[in-house]
């Protein structure tokens, strides 16, 4: 089958289907480059890691990129190494002022060659990172595979309207299009952390159940809080801002302390208050309900996300 006939068949197959699948871009012209960082046997601060520092810089400027850890068996060395993947179309951008010292180019590839499972997986991660970057500025927070938009409003009877959940899966259709499958649902009654929650936890002998972003893990908030002037808090927040700058710039913090104390798995942690959610009326985060939102809400939201992220048309 010729490339032209494949394209026509793929276009008809998607364009005439009413679904939650959206074309993001053509594969034609897709290229990538992989960089490796130095192997380290010690846990470095993100600002000191060449891979993480470059990744944060590129992502903040809208580049499609992703990083991963390499096990010692992968490179035959002792300690942990990381690599960084950058995806682009046709012409590689000038990165001379963006790459941190210590990175080395390890591999190049393009759509004309066979896309390996490795390069495809990293492409999907890079797309997910772009979506996360956009959603953070719209008051969404990642919770494991889901993105949640909590609702701080409470009805007169004490109930909450719940929150909005979405997740994304990616695939290459007919070797021509990069597509996204979107799952959007009405989720449980999650609220952003409020000063009243901190006071409630401090007054309770057992603390308050909370959910932590981006992992989605349950934890207990003790009520102890920290300001920027407390020792080490500014360093903790700077590390978070490296990867979530839009979250910090979009949120007014609602009068919250800079960080609060949470206990997870018996370990006490100082955690940024902007990444803590409270489940209204229950002690834990339940499984999202099986019923998705209607097609119109799905389509409107996805188009808003991709227009902000890609700056292009998402219509098939």
């Amino acid at each position: 089958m010729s490339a032209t006939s494949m394209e026509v068949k793929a276009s008809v197959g998607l364009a005439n289907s009413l679904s939650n699948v959206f074309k993001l871009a053509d594969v034609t012209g897709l290229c990538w480059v992989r960089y490796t960082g130095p192997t380290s046997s010690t846990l470095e601060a993100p600002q000191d890691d060449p891979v993480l520092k470059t990744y944060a810089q590129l992502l903040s400027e809208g580049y499609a990129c992703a990083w991963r850890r390499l096990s010692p068996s992968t490179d035959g060395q002792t300690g942990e190494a990381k690599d960084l993947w950058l995806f682009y179309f046709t012409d590689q951008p000038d990165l001379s002022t963006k790459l941190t010292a210590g990175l080395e180019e390890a591999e190049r590839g393009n759509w004309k060659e066979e896309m390996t499972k490795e390069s495809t997986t990293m492409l999907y991660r890079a797309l997910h990172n772009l979506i996360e970057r956009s959603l953070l500025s719209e008051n969404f927070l990642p919770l494991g595979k889901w993105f949640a938009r909590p609702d701080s409003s409470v009805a007169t009877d004490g109930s909450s309207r719940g929150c909005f959940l979405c997740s994304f899966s990616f695939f290459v259709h007919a070797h021509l299009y990069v597509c996204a499958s979107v799952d959007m649902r009405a989720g449980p009654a999650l609220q952003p952390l409020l000063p009243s929650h901190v006071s409630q936890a401090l007054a309770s002998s057992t603390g308050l159940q909370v959910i932590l972003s981006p992992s989605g893990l349950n934890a207990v908030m003790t009520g102890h809080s920290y300001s920027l002037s407390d020792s080490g808090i500014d360093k903790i927040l700077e590390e978070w801002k490296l990867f979530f700058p839009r979250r910090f710039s979009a949120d007014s913090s609602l009068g919250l302390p800079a960080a609060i104390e949470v206990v997870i798995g018996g370990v006490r942690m100082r955690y940024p208050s902007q990444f803590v959610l409270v489940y209204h009326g229950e002690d834990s985060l339940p499984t999202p309900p099986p019923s998705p939102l209607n097609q119109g809400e799905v389509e409107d939201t996805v188009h808003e996300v991709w227009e902000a992220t890609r700056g292009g048309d998402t219509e098939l």
Side-chain angles (χ1 to χ4, degrees):
M1 183 181 293
S2 67
T4 301
S5 60
M6 286 178 63
E7 186 170 356
V8 171
K9 183 177 180 180
S11 179
V12 171
L14 285 178
N16 293 338
S17 300
L18 180 62
S19 71
N20 61 338
V21 175
F22 300 86
K23 185 185 77 172
L24 305 182
D26 295 337
V27 174
T28 305
L30 180 66
C31 304
W32 61 89
V33 58
R34 180 171 72 92
Y35 299 96
T36 57
T39 301
S40 175
S41 58
T42 60
L43 183 62
E44 298 179 354
Q47 298 92 328
D48 300 328
D49 188 298
V51 169
L52 297 183
K53 186 175 181 180
T54 304
Y55 162 75
Q57 172 70 19
L58 293 177
L59 188 62
S60 68
E61 297 183 18
Y63 290 95
C65 57
W67 70 275
R68 64 176 179 174
R69 291 184 175 88
L70 300 175
S71 63
S73 59
T74 302
D75 53 22
Q77 302 181 33
T78 302
E80 180 188 78
K82 304 179 183 73
D83 63 4
L84 173 67
W85 294 66
L86 171 68
F87 295 87
Y88 57 94
F89 283 91
T90 308
D91 298 321
Q92 182 176 350
D94 182 12
L95 303 178
S96 57
T97 61
K98 298 178 175 63
L99 296 179
T100 305
L103 291 182
E104 296 183 1
E105 183 178 318
E107 176 187 355
R108 286 179 177 268
N110 58 66
W111 68 282
K112 294 180 180 179
E113 304 168 359
E114 181 181 1
M115 291 186 66
T116 65
K117 180 180 179 180
E118 183 180 48
S119 60
T120 303
T121 298
M122 296 306 293
L123 171 63
Y124 296 164
R125 288 189 188 181
L127 292 174
H128 192 274
N129 291 337
L130 284 177
I131 293 178
E132 179 180 279
R133 176 177 176 268
S134 179
L135 289 180
L136 283 170
S137 62
E138 298 295 331
N139 293 322
F140 281 82
L141 278 175
L143 295 176
K145 64 170 287 188
W146 296 94
F147 291 98
R149 184 165 61 189
D151 182 13
S152 59
S153 63
V154 178
T156 55
D157 61 357
S159 64
S160 179
R161 294 182 301 176
C163 73
F164 183 72
L165 294 175
C166 60
S167 67
F168 299 83
S169 301
F170 304 97
F171 63 95
V172 176
H173 178 64
H175 304 285
L176 293 171
Y177 305 134
V178 181
C179 300
S181 173
V182 189
D183 187 358
M184 294 189 174
R185 306 183 182 190
L190 288 177
Q191 292 184 303
L193 189 66
L194 301 173
S196 58
H197 294 137
V198 180
S199 301
Q200 181 182 347
L202 191 60
S204 172
S205 59
T206 58
L208 183 67
Q209 289 282 340
V210 296
I211 299 97
L212 305 180
S213 174
S215 65
L217 295 176
N218 287 331
V220 175
M221 181 173 64
T222 66
H224 295 295
S225 59
Y226 304 90
S227 66
L228 281 174
S229 59
D230 290 322
S231 176
I233 297 301
D234 57 340
K235 181 179 180 181
I236 292 175
L237 295 186
E238 285 303 317
E239 292 180 354
W240 280 78
K241 287 179 182 179
L242 186 66
F243 301 103
F244 302 103
R246 285 197 168 194
R247 173 62 179 170
F248 283 93
S249 61
D251 198 294
S252 63
S253 79
L254 302 173
L256 289 170
I260 51 93
E261 183 181 68
V262 298
V263 181
I264 180 169
V267 178
R268 294 180 180 270
M269 302 172 56
R270 295 174 295 177
Y271 213 84
S273 58
Q274 295 187 51
F275 291 84
V276 178
L277 298 176
V278 177
Y279 182 64
H280 184 74
E282 295 290 343
D283 292 332
S284 60
L285 176 66
T287 302
S291 57
L293 299 178
N294 66 60
Q295 175 65 24
E297 291 176 286
V298 169
E299 193 165 336
D300 290 345
T301 303
V302 172
H303 277 229
E304 290 176 4
V305 169
W306 278 105
E307 285 173 4
T309 304
R310 301 285 293 181
D313 186 12
T314 57
E315 293 285 354
L316 291 176

